[in-house]
Amino acid sequence: MVEIQKISEIEPRLGFTEFDMLKKYRQSFATSELGRLHVLFSFSELARQMHLKSPALGRKSYFSPEGKIALMILKPYTNFSDSQLIERLNCNIHYQLFCGVQIDPLHPLTNPKIVSAIRQELADRLDIESLQPILADHWKPYLENLHVCMTDATCYESHLRFPTDTKLLWEGIVWLHRHLCKHCRILHIQHLRNKYLDVSRAYLAYSKLRKRKKSQTRMVKRRLLQLLGISISNVLRGNPPKNINKKCMNFMASVCFK
């Protein structure tokens, strides 16, 4: 008669190769760069501070609260787009271990919008000032020279563009028109009539053109010069309204063209 043995005695000889393979994946993940990155974050404390919880009602979320934060860290680490991240997550076991999920190869994730939905959810709950102490306490054993504070700043030029004649003329007209409207309101007088709206529509239509003919450029430039000249002449010596005196005109000219 065969003696009955305890399961603990025969367990090492049972051939569960798939569990052995998963165990090897976990061991390789712990020694990989991604595994070392996973250790640097206290996902449970971050999720608790952000008040992330699994929904009690409705459909169960595919990612746990800790997995959502891990997924948002994995995206800038890999520099993938949303669709690329989901595609790699389906086939990379280390990515799945990092996010705490196990994806069935026969039923992979197909909706890349889940990444943007999680990003929006975390953005609504994000409070950097409350999360910084948690990260600082967790990273303190890895930091050296705690008495040193270092900052980094990057300066770069912005709003660079080619200064064409039409752009410079239009910017001058906009600046002058804005100041004229402002001082007319201050002096409680009627605004001087001009073709600003018509020229504005013409310049907008011209700026939207991909290919501009020389004749179109000359026409727009001519209209801009005429409008700018009329606006300047109206302020300096031109046709003032009947209800405005010379002192008001001198005030507007001194403010706009000082």
Side-chain angles (χ1 to χ4, degrees):
M1 183 176 180
V2 180
E3 183 180 358
I4 299 177
Q5 298 180 356
K6 294 182 179 180
I7 188 67
S8 59
E9 297 177 358
I10 63 174
E11 183 180 3
R13 289 176 286 178
L14 294 178
F16 295 119
T17 56
E18 61 273 13
F19 295 104
D20 297 339
M21 186 63 66
L22 182 60
K23 184 178 180 181
K24 292 180 180 179
Y25 273 123
R26 293 185 184 276
Q27 292 176 354
S28 64
F29 173 75
T31 58
S32 64
E33 182 180 355
L34 199 61
R36 292 193 296 269
L37 178 65
H38 189 273
V39 177
L40 296 178
F41 291 92
S42 179
F43 293 105
S44 58
E45 295 183 13
L46 294 175
R48 191 182 308 110
Q49 183 64 33
M50 297 178 68
H51 304 288
L52 291 174
K53 298 180 181 179
S54 299
L57 300 176
R59 186 176 181 179
K60 186 178 180 181
S61 178
Y62 203 93
F63 291 88
S64 63
E66 295 81 3
K68 294 178 181 179
I69 301 176
L71 184 66
M72 291 297 101
I73 295 175
L74 186 62
K75 179 175 171 58
Y77 175 79
T78 57
N79 200 22
F80 289 150
S81 63
D82 293 352
S83 58
Q84 290 175 341
L85 181 61
I86 293 298
E87 182 180 356
R88 297 298 180 89
L89 187 65
N90 288 326
C91 60
N92 195 319
I93 187 65
H94 280 185
Y95 288 179
Q96 298 178 22
L97 293 175
F98 188 86
C99 298
V101 295
Q102 291 185 1
I103 301 176
D104 188 356
L106 299 179
H107 301 87
L109 295 177
T110 57
N111 185 12
K113 293 183 179 180
I114 188 174
V115 180
S116 60
I118 293 175
R119 181 167 52 245
Q120 181 65 35
E121 180 184 0
L122 297 185
D124 295 338
R125 300 172 179 268
L126 182 63
D127 185 9
I128 298 178
E129 294 183 357
S130 62
L131 299 180
Q132 281 182 343
I134 299 176
L135 296 175
D137 293 339
H138 197 71
W139 292 344
K140 194 172 183 179
Y142 306 97
L143 299 178
E144 298 179 356
N145 302 324
L146 298 179
H147 62 284
V148 178
C149 179
M150 301 181 64
T151 60
D152 184 21
T154 303
C155 299
Y156 58 92
E157 298 176 346
S158 59
H159 301 291
L160 294 178
R161 54 195 175 82
F162 186 73
T164 61
D165 295 339
T166 54
K167 291 179 182 178
L168 295 176
L169 287 172
W170 176 246
E171 289 178 358
I173 291 172
V174 171
W175 182 89
L176 180 59
H177 182 76
R178 183 174 66 250
H179 281 75
L180 286 175
C181 294
K182 175 183 176 181
H183 295 299
C184 286
R185 287 195 301 269
I186 294 175
L187 298 174
H188 302 287
I189 59 176
Q190 184 180 0
H191 187 269
L192 303 175
R193 290 187 177 183
N194 53 28
K195 297 287 186 178
Y196 178 80
L197 294 179
D198 296 339
V199 176
S200 175
R201 298 189 189 99
Y203 177 77
L204 180 61
Y206 170 80
S207 61
K208 289 182 178 180
L209 295 177
R210 291 188 176 182
K211 295 183 179 180
R212 304 179 180 94
K213 298 180 180 179
K214 292 184 179 180
S215 59
Q216 293 175 326
T217 303
R218 285 196 302 267
M219 181 180 65
V220 172
K221 193 184 301 184
R222 189 185 306 115
R223 295 192 65 179
L224 292 174
L225 286 171
Q226 290 176 354
L227 178 59
L228 184 61
I230 291 173
S231 300
I232 294 175
S233 62
N234 284 337
V235 175
L236 294 179
R237 62 183 183 279
N239 303 318
K242 295 181 179 179
N243 59 343
I244 181 173
N245 54 27
K246 188 175 181 180
K247 186 181 293 185
C248 293
M249 291 295 297
N250 293 334
F251 170 75
M252 294 173 63
S254 63
V255 173
C256 292
F257 303 104
K258 61 181 179 180

